[in-house]
Amino acid sequence: MSLDPPTYLSSLQNNIRARYIPWDGAVRAAHITDADLKKIKSVDKVRREQRKQTVEGNLGDYAGLLLGGNDRKSVLETAGKRADVVQYILVLAGDMVDDIPALTTALLSHPNPYAPFLPLLSQSSNPEDPVPLLTSSILTSLISSALTTSTKSTNLSLETSKALPKLYSYLSGLAKSSDSGLQDIAVQAYSALLRTKNARELFWNQQAETVVPLIEILRTAAGVGNNGETSTLWSGNASTRSMNEASLGGTVGLQLLYHVLLVLWQLSFEGALVGDGLEQAYEIIPLLIQLLRLSPKEKTTRLLVSTLVNLISANKSSLLPAAALARLPSLLGNLSGRHLTDPDLCEDLETLKEMLEEYTKTRTTFDQYAAEVRTGHLHWSPPHRNPTFWHENARRILGENQGELPKKLAEIMGKSWDGDKQVLAIACNDVGCLVKAVPERRDYLEKLGLKGRVMALMTDSDEAVRWESLRAVGEWLRYSFDG
């Protein structure tokens, strides 16, 4: 899928193309050789077709100009002390790589095609520094081409497998920037690179760098702050601006959102690898569903629905419950009322409906509760406040799968939940309900650390947590003098 070049990058490149470079002075200072200057002038400020003919007629010379070889240095190494010359050559090199496929092939056939470029990525910690930015663009083009040509083989070349993680790391710094222009450069580069299974696996291996900034952008678009209340994702009540405005969450432009969703969609083709991890670490299913509620364009709706299909179909047992809890079935009903023209989107909607209908046919109230606890994120769903549910299911909750659910409750309560104290209040409610329904098992709950944690929460800063913990402790005290 071809995307328009990021505006930020295009503007930078155009600015550099228009600069005057004192080439003769650079030659006299030995920052560039006479022979290299002749090659540069042969392809600089000429028509694209003329440049292509010149380069294709001298592929070895131009590959050598950029990469060096035969005891000669790359022009980028020779000109290293002249930032203006390096920037100009990087722009020219990027134009040649993008416009002349034969040159790209010649560069990639070199034993070490990325050697002159990789050191330039770490030249500066400033994300706006032109040299690393321009270098990342060239590396993205080269590595993307290398990935495309190596799709018939199962493994990346050694040089590409070493270079790609370094490029991912640099791009992640741009994605963490507060500048949407820099973020878009990173995201579009990711999209160009995530073309093969190996590239997606490497991307996932570096998820702390690569995935986390993208999730933060999506959370902002959904109207949920990174440290804010996350329960709104499950209820669908996250606050956002009008869907007709040019941005979601007040700050995320629709074009950037589309590009981030495109990357996530590409990653979702490794659904079996990434699905559960995305849900456990980032609550991806309710996040995507919230964005789907807000999606103002069919193109973003298409990506969201397709990503949900890829992730859920590869992880039905774990992600279908999360989708049902986040109210996807009712949302799909609303979407069906829209006038949708994309046949692939309509097909994916039907696929989601069928999977959810099959799941909800056999789901019991216990299944609903167990699925919620397993997500690791509680919200006030009906079972929590239903006395009949606890009377009928408390023993099963304590005993099924060797006490899986109370152990999970203990794990949930072990976290601080500073961004969503409601989770702790609900967990305290559940512990109190278990003690009330099955008082003879309170020693078991105490061994799991639940009694101590509930008592500690009696002094929590949140009023609801204090109240629910007090009620739970009261259930324990009810039986404190029993023999």
Side-chain angles (χ1 to χ4, degrees), residues 273-341:
L273 172 68
V274 308
D276 283 339
L278 283 170
E279 180 60 22
Q280 291 164 11
Y282 315 113
E283 295 189 312
I284 194 66
I285 297 301
L287 177 56
L288 292 177
I289 291 171
Q290 177 64 7
L291 289 167
L292 186 56
R293 287 189 183 94
L294 305 168
S295 175
K297 299 287 185 180
E298 189 166 308
K299 67 177 185 178
T300 52
T301 298
R302 179 174 61 244
L303 284 176
L304 286 160
V305 171
S306 184
T307 302
L308 284 167
V309 168
N310 290 345
L311 294 176
I312 293 173
S313 61
N315 305 272
K316 289 183 180 179
S317 62
S318 56
L319 298 189
L320 273 173
L325 283 168
R327 305 183 182 182
L328 181 57
S330 60
L331 176 58
L332 294 179
N334 294 336
L335 286 174
S336 298
R338 294 187 190 178
H339 179 64
L340 302 173
T341 59

Side-chain angles (χ1 to χ4, degrees), residues 213-270:
L214 304 185
I215 296 296
E216 291 177 355
I217 293 171
L218 293 181
R219 289 172 65 83
T220 300
V224 180
N226 296 315
N227 296 314
E229 174 128 353
T230 57
S231 60
T232 50
L233 284 177
W234 296 92
S235 65
N237 294 327
S239 62
T240 62
R241 303 175 72 190
S242 166
M243 293 194 308
N244 295 321
E245 295 190 36
S247 64
L248 293 176
T251 57
V252 180
L254 290 178
Q255 198 65 10
L256 176 59
L257 174 63
Y258 176 76
H259 293 156
V260 174
L261 291 175
L262 183 61
V263 170
L264 196 61
W265 172 72
Q266 290 171 279
L267 185 62
S268 74
F269 282 93
E270 307 306 322

Side-chain angles (χ1 to χ4, degrees), residues 19-76:
R19 292 178 188 172
Y20 168 74
I21 303 296
W23 292 112
D24 293 338
V27 172
R28 286 194 300 271
H31 292 142
I32 190 170
T33 67
D34 245 337
D36 285 347
L37 180 56
K38 287 179 182 178
K39 295 185 186 75
I40 291 170
K41 287 191 170 182
S42 295
V43 293
D44 185 30
K45 301 189 187 306
V46 298
R47 296 175 65 179
R48 181 177 296 181
E49 191 57 39
Q50 181 181 340
R51 175 188 294 158
K52 184 177 181 182
Q53 290 176 358
T54 300
V55 172
E56 288 179 341
N58 302 273
L59 285 173
D61 288 341
Y62 281 94
L65 175 72
L66 297 177
L67 300 180
N70 297 325
D71 297 325
R72 57 179 288 193
K73 290 183 177 181
S74 160
V75 67
L76 293 167

Side-chain angles (χ1 to χ4, degrees), residues 363-374:
R363 182 184 62 168
T364 64
T365 308
F366 173 83
D367 293 332
Q368 179 184 348
Y369 176 79
E372 182 182 334
V373 174
R374 289 182 185 121

Side-chain angles (χ1 to χ4, degrees), residues 60-178:
D61 288 341
Y62 281 94
L65 175 72
L66 297 177
L67 300 180
N70 297 325
D71 297 325
R72 57 179 288 193
K73 290 183 177 181
S74 160
V75 67
L76 293 167
E77 294 178 78
T78 305
K81 295 181 180 180
R82 286 285 301 271
D84 59 336
V85 174
V86 171
Q87 291 173 25
Y88 198 90
I89 292 172
L90 285 171
V91 171
L92 183 61
D95 291 340
M96 291 192 293
V97 167
D98 290 340
D99 295 340
I100 309 170
L103 177 62
T104 300
T105 301
L107 293 172
L108 292 174
S109 65
H110 190 278
N112 206 341
Y114 314 114
F117 301 108
L118 289 173
L120 299 179
L121 288 178
S122 56
Q123 176 174 295
S124 170
S125 59
N126 178 6
E128 296 182 3
D129 189 305
V131 169
L133 273 175
L134 298 168
T135 301
S136 71
S137 178
I138 294 173
L139 281 171
T140 297
S141 296
L142 287 175
I143 294 176
S144 175
S145 182
L147 292 169
T148 304
T149 56
S150 66
T151 51
K152 294 181 180 179
S153 64
T154 56
N155 297 312
L156 299 175
S157 72
L158 179 62
E159 294 304 322
T160 299
S161 64
K162 288 181 178 178
L164 185 52
K166 295 177 181 178
L167 180 56
Y168 281 154
S169 293
Y170 171 76
L171 293 171
S172 72
L174 300 183
K176 294 172 189 173
S177 168
S178 59

